[in-house]
Amino acid sequence: MQENLNDFWQAILDYWFLIAMVITTVVMAMFRTAKQYGKVDYLEAAMCALFAYGVYFVLGWFKIPPEASVLVGGFVGWLGTAKIAAIVHDKLGFENKDDNTK
């Protein structure tokens, strides 16, 4: 039992930036949705955390220090998934299927 507890604490120590990033992202998204809609949107907060979780690994792939993931995760939580998706669609050149301007 003690060995399992030691493994658990070692995992916490190894990945504390990832844990801090997820918590920061969820809290920022919860605060933003509570202010914007008058209630907390837990689904939005979870999606923001998943976006930020992916960003953590992308930053690591680009050899950017994991400390930056907390900042980026908070930023993702503050922006929200709808704005992030719109930015990605604009950058990648996807057309909006509801766009009837042509």
Side-chain angles (χ1 to χ4, degrees), residues 55-97:
V55 166
Y56 174 84
F57 291 106
V58 170
L59 291 178
W61 187 59
F62 285 119
K63 306 288 190 241
I64 297 174
E67 293 88 358
S69 68
V70 178
L71 175 67
V72 173
F75 187 68
V76 168
W78 178 69
L79 277 180
T81 55
K83 289 183 184 176
I84 296 290
I87 291 169
V88 170
H89 279 215
D90 288 344
K91 294 293 181 193
L92 295 179
F94 292 128
E95 292 184 24
N96 188 356
K97 65 181 178 182

Side-chain angles (χ1 to χ4, degrees), residues 3-6 13 35-36 40 53 55 62 78 80 89 92:
E3 184 178 310
N4 291 338
L5 190 58
N6 288 340
L13 290 174
K35 181 180 178 187
Q36 188 174 6
V40 174
Y53 184 73
V55 166
F62 285 119
W78 178 69
H89 279 215
L92 295 179

